Amino acid sequence: MDIISLSQIPGAQIIYNYLYSNSGSMPGIFLSSCNGNLRNNSIIGHSIGLSLANSSPLVGANEIYGNLINGIYVGYGSIPDLRASLIGHPPNQYPVSGYNSIFENGGYTEEGSGSSNDDGSEIYFNNSNIQMESGCNLIADDRIPQHPLETTLLLMNGTTTNRISARYNCWGDTVYTARFGGLTVKYSPYYSEPCTFSGDIPLVMQDNDGNTLDTVYS
């Protein structure tokens, strides 16, 4: 089982890790009172993919799926940044945040996940918030419930400190208000297909606040 656990690190750099577990007993990455950058990590088969406590890192180009409770747990005092942002100069640009794929996490019964409180959400908030406007993130769960998979309805849920602005992300095959549980989420307009970031380097058009408006590929 591969895990990363850090506490009180102001500039953590967690980059290009493959974190796989077949037991689902612990978070893949746990940060307590940390900031920094989580980029290009694959987190698979844990209880929670990324668990944050009073931590607000930049989260970019990660693949988080197949975790038994949540993809990301945003704990008290945390505001992670999943807005699409590129650094570097062409042709050597890469996303420092945004462009994450968070899908098919949670939704199992107690037998499957070890938790009777698993609501099946991809991202869960505990009196916290998130920055993901113009994030180019995929947040989806299009699985069909069948034992021990009980629920795949919720994409995000929990309690937040404010309304979530999450336009210009991708939500899988279907998205509507009920898929956000008790949260107030501004999710439209959205992308019908996941954003890609591969060999073709895009020109990213941003406003004065750094929000991505569109991407153009050659």
Side-chain angles (χ1 to χ4, degrees), residues 116-138:
S116 59
N117 297 319
D118 176 13
D119 66 359
S121 58
E122 301 301 306
I123 303 177
Y124 188 87
F125 299 89
N126 178 10
N127 198 30
S128 53
N129 216 292
I130 197 168
Q131 298 183 85
M132 56 186 300
E133 176 82 356
S134 300
C136 289
N137 301 287
L138 168 67

Side-chain angles (χ1 to χ4, degrees), residues 26 55 60 93 97 126 130 143 146 155 205 217:
M26 296 183 67
S55 298
Q93 285 184 302
S97 58
N126 178 10
I130 197 168
R143 297 172 295 175
Q146 54 188 356
L155 298 173
M205 294 183 288
Y217 290 81

Side-chain angles (χ1 to χ4, degrees), residues 14-34:
I14 304 175
I15 301 171
Y16 282 107
N17 296 282
Y18 180 81
L19 304 172
Y20 173 78
S21 172
N22 58 8
S23 66
S25 59
M26 296 183 67
I29 297 177
F30 173 70
L31 300 183
S32 175
S33 300
C34 295

